[in-house]
Amino acid sequence: MIAGFRLLAGIAFIYICGATVLSLLGYCHRDMLKRPYLLFCFGSGFISFALFAALLFKIQISLHTGIAVFLGLLFVTMLKNIFMRGGKIRWSLCRVRSDDIKNDIGGCEKLIRIVCIVIIAIQVICVLIVCLEQPENSWDGMARWGFKAKVIYSEKSVYVDYFNGSHYAFSHPYYPLSVPLEMVNIYLFLGEANDRMVKLVFFLYFVMLITAFFDIVKRFLLMSRALFFTALLSTVPIFLLGGSSAATCLANVPLAFYCLAAVLFLMEYLQQRRVEIIVPAGLVLFFCAFTKLEGLYYAAIFTIGFAGSIIIFDKNRRRQEPFLQHLFLLIGTFIVLYLPWLWFKALYIRLDHATFPSAVSLGYIISKLHRLIFVVPMLIFECLKVWHWHIAWIIFAGYFILGLKVRRLGREAIFLLSIIAGAFILLTAVYTVSSWWGALVLAIMTTVPKVITVVPS
């Protein structure tokens, strides 16, 4: 019972920190309380960065230290709200459609809504039960993310042999520390490294992900359709089953959540063009990069697509000049936050990434281009796997094509398309150049029943 209260206190601490950070950034209190995923996004991200900053300065982390840091943040927020009053930021993308309010709902619409809500509830309950009933049993969760969390929690430092010892290379010490530090935060509240109770954080990532998705989709579609697409997302098998599911202590679902939040903030700027949105957007891009290695590349893809959607399609120079200033502020915010991790990684983590060769030259890349004929079809096939994604990608493509006939492509649509294209190009490049994954893909592509033939690298 006491452990349960401690766990709830740790979860509440995340949301309270998130509310404080958003208040400091100038968000309307009423608006942020309607959107708990914003609180969770900035609360979890702030706690991870604060713990990492404390560890860099060799401050002994503890529950009292975390509370002291929060009280300092709260004091700064109160001073800012008293002496620097300004306009409050509100979401323009997440408002309920007027036709959902004015029009009467028919019996069919009600039935669709009820069925979708029941489906979503069942998925959420199932993930919750798995999180609370089973301790962590995935290899990556135990040997990589969870192992880092236990090292940091037990040593109360990042200046330890773990980060540069070759005998720990199996756990990838060079992976970003956001997820392990969030686990450490819960351990501090629990008073122990509990592999079962800490999984509730990853369950919340899943719930906040589908909550954020529904909040944005209902702005563009009728409520019944928004619920349908949310139910579709909540039943994607890859979120529910296997080693990368929401019921494991892995960075996949947290990265998906932060990526969605980053897209929402950048789309919000495309709607409002307010500089106040830029700093929060830069923070979320940092959360992506500090969660997983791929997050750094996704942050770059989001930024490039965001800049291109305005520079290419907005010919008004008067509107472009302030945007370029805002773009520099976005990139600057990200760099300032990312530099401490980059500095620590460069100076104290001497292990190379096992997947990539130590030196990648132009000649090496050219020598691997023959893999493209295998990699590209494999990636397309992976996206179309019904047992991984059911019909999510098919419905998205059909809905987008239908939208092209109804209205012109806006900046938001171009931005989303650039993200999808950038992610596909990134995956293609990684699988083509990477020594280990590239060989694995080639092995899969050239497998026939009972005979495995690996194309020479």
Side-chain angles (χ1 to χ4, degrees):
M1 182 65 71
I2 296 177
F5 283 118
R6 286 175 173 267
L7 176 62
L8 293 178
I11 298 299
F13 184 68
I14 295 175
Y15 284 94
I16 293 172
C17 285
T20 308
V21 172
L22 285 172
S23 181
L24 180 63
L25 294 172
Y27 270 78
C28 175
H29 295 165
R30 184 179 301 177
D31 188 72
M32 73 172 74
L33 292 176
K34 294 178 182 177
R35 298 180 170 87
Y37 61 87
L38 290 179
L39 305 178
F40 187 79
C41 174
F42 286 90
S44 58
F46 167 77
I47 289 173
S48 296
F49 181 74
L51 287 175
F52 180 64
L55 291 168
L56 278 185
F57 288 102
K58 299 183 179 180
I59 298 174
Q60 188 78 7
I61 59 171
S62 65
L63 184 58
H64 298 91
T65 305
I67 294 176
V69 172
F70 165 72
L71 291 177
L73 175 68
L74 182 62
F75 179 71
V76 173
T77 302
M78 292 175 62
L79 291 179
K80 185 259 182 184
N81 290 335
I82 292 173
F83 296 106
M84 298 177 62
R85 294 182 179 273
K88 295 295 184 180
I89 304 174
R90 292 179 173 86
W91 281 114
S92 65
L93 287 173
C94 303
R95 295 172 184 168
V96 180
R97 288 170 58 101
S98 59
D99 48 5
D100 269 328
I101 299 175
K102 295 178 181 179
N103 296 341
D104 294 331
I105 303 175
C108 184
E109 288 285 326
K110 288 182 180 179
L111 179 61
I112 292 175
R113 294 186 183 189
I114 292 173
V115 171
C116 291
I117 292 173
V118 170
I119 291 174
I120 296 170
I122 290 174
Q123 303 306 315
V124 169
I125 293 172
C126 288
V127 174
L128 177 61
I129 291 174
V130 173
C131 285
L132 296 180
E133 287 287 330
Q134 300 179 4
E136 181 60 30
N137 54 18
S138 67
W139 165 257
D140 284 352
M142 293 185 297
R144 291 172 181 168
W145 305 104
F147 189 62
K148 289 182 184 63
K150 291 177 181 177
V151 168
I152 296 173
Y153 175 72
S154 60
E155 298 290 340
K156 301 295 189 295
S157 174
V158 290
Y159 300 103
V160 294
D161 181 59
Y162 167 76
F163 287 102
N164 53 27
S166 59
H167 44 289
Y168 294 116
F170 70 92
S171 65
H172 296 178
Y174 38 78
Y175 277 9
L177 297 178
S178 177
V179 168
L181 289 173
E182 289 169 33
M183 297 172 70
V184 169
N185 173 61
I186 299 298
Y187 291 162
L188 292 175
F189 274 89
L190 292 175
E192 62 175 352
N194 191 311
D195 287 337
R196 180 172 58 86
M197 302 188 79
V198 76
K199 293 172 69 176
L200 186 62
V201 174
F202 300 89
F203 162 75
L204 288 174
Y205 270 113
F206 174 68
V207 175
M208 294 299 103
L209 174 67
I210 60 177
T211 302
F213 180 79
F214 172 72
D215 199 30
I216 185 65
V217 172
K218 73 180 182 183
R219 170 65 178 83
F220 301 99
L221 302 175
L222 292 172
M223 187 67 70
S224 56
R225 295 182 182 180
L227 285 170
F228 169 75
F229 282 109
T230 306
L232 197 67
L233 177 66
S234 68
T235 55
V236 169
I238 203 167
F239 282 142
L240 308 171
L241 304 171
S244 299
S245 68
T248 55
C249 300
L250 299 179
N252 298 314
V253 176
L255 178 62
F257 171 71
Y258 287 130
C259 285
L260 177 59
V263 171
L264 293 184
F265 272 95
L266 294 177
M267 289 182 65
E268 185 71 14
Y269 177 86
L270 295 177
Q271 290 280 328
Q272 297 193 35
R273 294 294 186 94
R274 296 184 60 182
V275 67
E276 294 87 353
I277 301 173
I278 289 297
V279 172
L283 287 172
V284 181
L285 289 177
F286 164 72
F287 297 158
C288 292
F290 198 46
T291 300
K292 204 173 181 184
L293 289 174
E294 296 92 319
L296 175 61
Y297 304 106
Y298 287 138
I301 291 170
F302 295 159
T303 305
I304 294 171
F306 168 67
S309 64
I310 292 182
I311 295 174
I312 296 175
F313 295 94
D314 194 342
K315 304 300 182 182
N316 191 333
R317 292 186 178 180
R318 293 182 179 179
R319 291 172 62 89
Q320 282 192 10
E321 288 180 1
F323 166 72
L324 292 176
Q325 298 175 1
H326 299 168
L327 181 62
F328 285 129
L329 178 60
L330 176 72
I331 298 174
T333 301
F334 173 83
I335 291 175
V336 167
L337 294 170
Y338 193 72
L339 275 178
W341 164 245
L342 192 63
W343 173 82
F344 175 77
K345 186 177 179 180
L347 266 65
Y348 290 94
I349 304 179
R350 305 298 176 85
L351 301 175
D352 294 327
H353 195 297
T355 302
F356 297 96
S358 57
V360 178
S361 62
L362 180 60
Y364 176 85
I365 295 175
I366 293 175
S367 69
K368 303 301 178 184
L369 291 181
H370 66 279
R371 293 176 171 177
L372 285 172
I373 194 173
F374 300 100
V375 172
V376 174
M378 186 64 181
L379 288 176
I380 296 174
F381 175 68
E382 287 291 331
C383 293
L384 297 178
K385 279 184 176 179
V386 177
W387 53 94
H388 281 177
W389 304 100
H390 50 64
I391 56 175
W393 282 108
I394 299 173
I395 289 184
F396 169 80
Y399 222 88
F400 188 82
I401 294 172
L402 181 63
L404 291 178
K405 297 180 180 180
V406 177
R407 58 183 180 180
R408 294 177 59 187
L409 272 172
R411 293 188 189 89
E412 295 83 1
I414 295 297
F415 173 53
L416 293 176
L417 278 181
S418 66
I419 290 175
I420 296 173
F424 188 84
I425 293 172
L426 169 65
L427 290 173
T428 301
V430 169
Y431 278 89
T432 301
V433 177
S434 169
S435 58
W436 186 80
W437 279 103
L440 177 62
V441 171
L442 291 176
I444 295 174
M445 287 297 299
T446 55
T447 298
V448 293
K450 299 183 181 180
V451 178
I452 300 178
T453 304
V454 181
V455 177
S457 59

